[in-house]
Amino acid sequence: MREIRCAPYTAQPRPGPRHSLGAYGFVATFQPDPHFGRILAAYGGVFVAGSLVWEMIFDGFRPDRWDIAGSLICLLGVAVIMFAPRSGA
């Protein structure tokens, strides 16, 4: 098996995924919808499952039982978030 080496951490990292994700989270705080956090959480669960499907279709990835279990747990969380009875909603 080949060893994969990562670039060493530098004191001044280049902008990349970490910064993009941080900016995305910061911008989300300005959404006027009071339920935006709930919407974002549901989107995250769908994103996890969708990512596995994407990998299966385009990368030939074969998920194991733990990948599938994790995706189902995420989708169950989405269902709870979206369909739970709420008072005053």
Side-chain angles (χ1 to χ4, degrees):
M1 182 181 291
R2 185 176 67 157
E3 182 179 345
I4 299 173
R5 295 181 182 247
C6 298
Y9 176 78
T10 61
Q12 298 174 345
R14 291 175 285 153
R18 290 176 292 173
H19 296 90
S20 299
L21 185 59
Y24 181 76
F26 180 72
V27 169
T29 63
F30 295 107
Q31 298 301 317
D33 188 337
H35 303 289
F36 184 74
R38 187 177 294 150
I39 294 166
L40 191 59
Y43 167 77
V46 172
F47 182 82
V48 168
S51 295
L52 284 177
V53 171
W54 179 273
E55 281 190 290
M56 288 170 47
I57 293 170
F58 294 104
D59 297 335
F61 175 73
R62 304 298 301 168
D64 62 17
R65 64 183 174 175
W66 300 109
D67 296 323
I68 293 168
S71 291
L72 292 175
I73 290 169
C74 289
L75 292 175
L76 178 63
V78 169
V80 170
I81 290 169
M82 295 195 57
F83 301 116
R86 293 185 168 80
S87 61

